[in-house]
Amino acid sequence: MVGRPQPHLAMLEPPVRQLCAYAVITLFVVFFFASGLSYHFSNDDLPFLSAYTTQRFPDFSQYPDLKTLSAHQFPLDDPSRRIIIVGDIHGQYEYFSKLLEKVSYKPASDVLIHVGDIVTKGSHNGSMQVLSYMASHNTTGVRGNHDQKVVEWRAWIHWIRSQRGGPRWLQHLSDAWSAEQADSPNPEAFVESQRKKSKHSHWWKKVPKGWKLFGDHFTIARAMSDAEYEYLRALPLTIHIPNAHAYIVHAGLLPSDPTYTPDHPGQPLATVPRLPKGSERGKTQDETNRILRTLQERAILSNVPQNTVPYNVLNMRSILHGKVHKGSAGKAWSKAWKHDMKRCQGFNQELSVTKPQKELLPCYPSTVIYGHAASRGLDIKRWSIGLDSGCVYDRRLTALVLGSEDALSSSARRDDNRDLNDDDKDREEHVDEPEEDDTDTLEANQHGIPFGDSHHGKIVSVSCAR
Ligand SMILES: *[C@@H]1O[C@H](CO)[C@@H](O)[C@H](O)[C@H]1NC(C)=O
Ligand SMILES: *[C@@H]1O[C@H](CO)[C@@H](O)[C@H](O)[C@H]1NC(C)=O
């Protein structure tokens, strides 16, 4: 009598359980599919690690949020301050110091920024020196693909050390490696021989496929201090600077989804963003435009699907068959960027576009400052500035200096839509859309370059030849 409702409940239970079981199975299938796809997507020689982390590892990648710099942090309009943005350093501490000296870097008033890949490829000590400098000064910058791998290794080390027997296993291995180093320090051969010695150790399964124990990234990850790790972990993938209408990113960004035409209504630059309700009240046209531009610039980051994939912004070089590509075959992403930016005519068609264009777009141009593409060298286009001039390959270390008086000299005012490259050769293999004005080559160090809407910058570099 009292227990009446219970049978009723009991009858309900099995179907609910069944449903749950089906849901779990479905989720599993979907999950497997998804992780399989992401693995396929990033199956390159630089192992991209979140593909593994979705399977049976914790999240080693630790991607941070987008960072936005204020007008104070990027003082483009303050004549008493300068912004110095340095290309890929790769542990070349000596040349980094020379470059700071050459630009007469003044820490009290200048803002120093790097575009990522501050470590690896150079000597271990050099990487540690650069990292120490950046971390102790809390220098603004973005993560590079190599910095990313160092972060992932450190997270992995923490994970191993958190497990019973983990610290001992890692110590044992490290001791064996130290003993080995006297002869021929080949990490891969060393790890292979260790694996053979302890074939059945479950620890080997905890090393993600493709990761190189005792390689550059691992040894830096192991050697760095907690503060240095925290510094790398805090580096964003992308910096947005609304007041300069600029981004800083290690490898690149796309202006639009290449699987659609640039004027497709789904593209951020093809649509005037909608203002939040009531936010235009009491604002001048200029103020409203500024809000709209910021919204549109954010939309490039969040609504172009390729830009939301961390691997892409850390590794992209070109677009091939409508897809982001990490090699340089295909069209440089910076050409796609320029192609779209040149068509921006403003929200009210007020920008005078120099020549009649096919697809005018309701947008304002923005600028990407990046590194990563050492094979292309210094690559300055009207709306993108590629600063990796290959210091680690004995070429040059380059900085973009904004806001200095000498950058504003009259000779600097070569305001045109031309580009600046440090070598004449177009290294792209299959250029599917050559642009008539990409062939101009100007002397990099003698003239300022136009930056953003109305500013000028200067390119300063030092030789890294030994
Ligand atoms: C690297 O630095 C350590 C000390 O920090 C030093 O003992 C070692 O000799 C240096 N190695 C090279 C190749 O300069
Ligand atoms: C470094 O600067 C960032 C802001 O850019 C800040 O959030 C962070 O707390 C700083 N870290 C240290 C250790 O001062």
Side-chain angles (χ1 to χ4, degrees):
M1 314 147 269
V2 190
R4 261 288 146 89
Q6 270 166 356
H8 185 64
L9 262 182
M11 280 174 70
L12 262 181
E13 220 172 303
V16 170
R17 266 207 212 148
Q18 235 169 15
L19 219 68
C20 284
Y22 282 134
V24 167
I25 290 169
T26 310
L27 272 176
F28 239 97
V29 170
V30 167
F31 174 80
F32 259 98
F33 219 97
S35 53
L37 282 182
S38 71
Y39 175 77
H40 178 74
F41 176 71
S42 55
N43 190 5
D44 287 317
D45 69 329
L46 296 175
F48 182 49
L49 309 167
S50 73
Y52 301 104
T53 64
T54 56
Q55 289 172 22
R56 49 199 178 89
F57 297 112
D59 174 24
F60 298 133
S61 44
Q62 314 199 42
Y63 295 125
D65 295 332
L66 168 77
K67 182 168 173 173
T68 302
L69 295 187
S70 65
H72 179 73
Q73 293 166 315
F74 198 89
L76 194 54
D77 292 308
D78 182 345
S80 68
R81 301 180 66 196
R82 296 182 305 170
I83 302 151
I84 299 162
I85 307 172
V86 184
D88 303 32
I89 301 166
H90 278 301
Q92 306 294 297
Y93 186 74
E94 183 191 345
Y95 302 115
F96 172 58
S97 305
K98 274 190 185 152
L99 183 59
L100 291 187
E101 200 175 309
K102 185 161 178 183
V103 299
S104 316
Y105 172 55
K106 295 176 195 68
S109 54
D110 296 337
V111 174
L112 182 64
I113 300 177
H114 66 78
V115 298
D117 277 5
I118 56 177
V119 294
T120 70
K121 291 197 177 180
S123 72
H124 176 80
N125 282 6
S127 284
M128 298 316 293
Q129 281 177 295
V130 174
L131 181 54
S132 165
Y133 181 96
M134 296 299 181
S136 59
H137 294 83
N138 201 11
T139 305
T140 303
V142 290
R143 276 191 208 182
N145 52 313
H146 288 280
D147 312 319
Q148 179 61 37
K149 286 166 88 180
V150 173
V151 167
E152 291 175 3
W153 267 119
R154 179 64 166 233
W156 179 86
I157 290 170
H158 284 177
W159 180 61
I160 292 294
R161 285 194 179 146
S162 72
Q163 298 171 58
R164 189 199 295 245
R168 207 160 30 124
W169 174 68
L170 212 50
Q171 190 57 50
H172 170 79
L173 211 57
S174 298
D175 292 346
W177 170 246
S178 302
E180 180 100 343
Q181 278 205 309
D183 324 330
S184 57
N186 177 348
E188 280 162 87
F190 167 74
V191 169
E192 204 41 51
S193 73
Q194 292 294 313
R195 261 183 208 271
K196 279 196 184 125
K197 271 191 203 159
S198 54
K199 239 183 265 172
H200 302 293
S201 165
H202 71 290
W203 292 106
W204 295 115
K205 294 200 188 78
K206 295 180 187 279
V207 184
K209 230 185 256 173
W211 288 38
K212 293 190 177 85
L213 260 171
F214 300 101
D216 259 14
H217 306 88
F218 174 83
T219 49
I220 293 166
R222 192 178 53 167
M224 69 186 171
S225 68
D226 286 340
E228 287 160 355
Y229 176 43
E230 283 313 314
Y231 171 75
L232 286 185
R233 244 162 55 101
L235 289 180
L237 298 178
T238 310
I239 290 177
H240 178 212
I241 312 149
N243 76 305
H245 306 294
Y247 310 89
I248 301 170
V249 66
H250 179 62
L253 288 174
L254 298 189
S256 55
D257 181 347
T259 48
Y260 300 93
T261 58
D263 58 352
H264 184 282
Q267 307 277 20
L269 295 184
T271 323
V272 181
R274 209 168 295 156
L275 272 179
K277 262 220 167 73
S279 58
E280 77 279 20
R281 209 170 299 141
K283 293 207 170 65
T284 64
Q285 183 73 46
D286 271 4
E287 288 164 335
T288 305
N289 267 7
R290 209 170 308 138
I291 296 169
L292 289 173
R293 280 185 78 170
T294 300
L295 288 174
Q296 198 173 46
E297 285 159 18
R298 291 293 289 263
I300 288 180
L301 299 177
S302 57
N303 297 4
V304 175
Q306 291 80 2
N307 294 341
T308 66
V309 178
Y311 184 80
N312 290 348
V313 299
L314 288 170
N315 291 283
M316 76 166 74
R317 286 200 179 83
S318 53
I319 304 169
L320 186 62
H321 308 310
K323 290 206 172 92
V324 172
H325 189 59
K326 63 170 287 197
S328 41
K331 175 162 99 173
W333 67 264
S334 59
K335 284 194 174 178
W337 189 268
K338 180 173 151 182
H339 172 273
D340 286 16
M341 294 303 154
K342 272 168 67 180
R343 284 156 179 79
C344 286
Q345 58 165 345
F347 298 138
N348 311 294
Q349 291 120 59
E350 73 273 32
L351 295 189
S352 57
V353 177
T354 43
K355 39 191 164 170
Q357 301 289 346
K358 287 168 288 187
E359 324 140 341
L360 293 179
L361 297 169
C363 51
Y364 292 81
S366 49
T367 306
V368 184
I369 303 162
Y370 67 102
H372 188 62
S375 60
R376 287 204 175 96
L378 182 68
D379 189 357
I380 297 175
K381 296 188 167 65
R382 180 60 184 90
W383 302 107
S384 64
I385 301 175
L387 291 174
D388 187 359
S389 45
C391 183
V392 78
Y393 305 114
D394 297 347
R395 294 187 359 235
R396 299 186 82 80
L397 185 65
T398 300
L400 167 68
V401 183
L402 297 169
S404 63
E405 288 306 314
D406 45 357
L408 301 171
S409 68
S410 57
S411 73
R413 302 209 172 271
R414 301 185 57 143
D415 201 351
D416 56 19
N417 251 323
R418 282 190 288 177
D419 300 334
L420 197 73
N421 291 63
D422 69 348
D423 39 16
D424 298 317
K425 275 183 293 200
D426 199 342
R427 291 166 189 271
E428 287 150 57
E429 291 135 55
H430 314 286
V431 181
D432 44 12
E433 211 175 316
E435 286 193 50
E436 64 289 342
D437 53 355
D438 275 336
T439 49
D440 294 321
T441 302
L442 306 176
E443 243 320 296
N445 288 324
Q446 293 180 6
H447 308 289
I449 54 162
F451 177 82
D453 291 358
S454 57
H455 290 83
H456 283 79
K458 205 171 80 165
I459 295 292
V460 180
S461 66
V462 293
S463 167
C464 303
R466 264 150 268 259

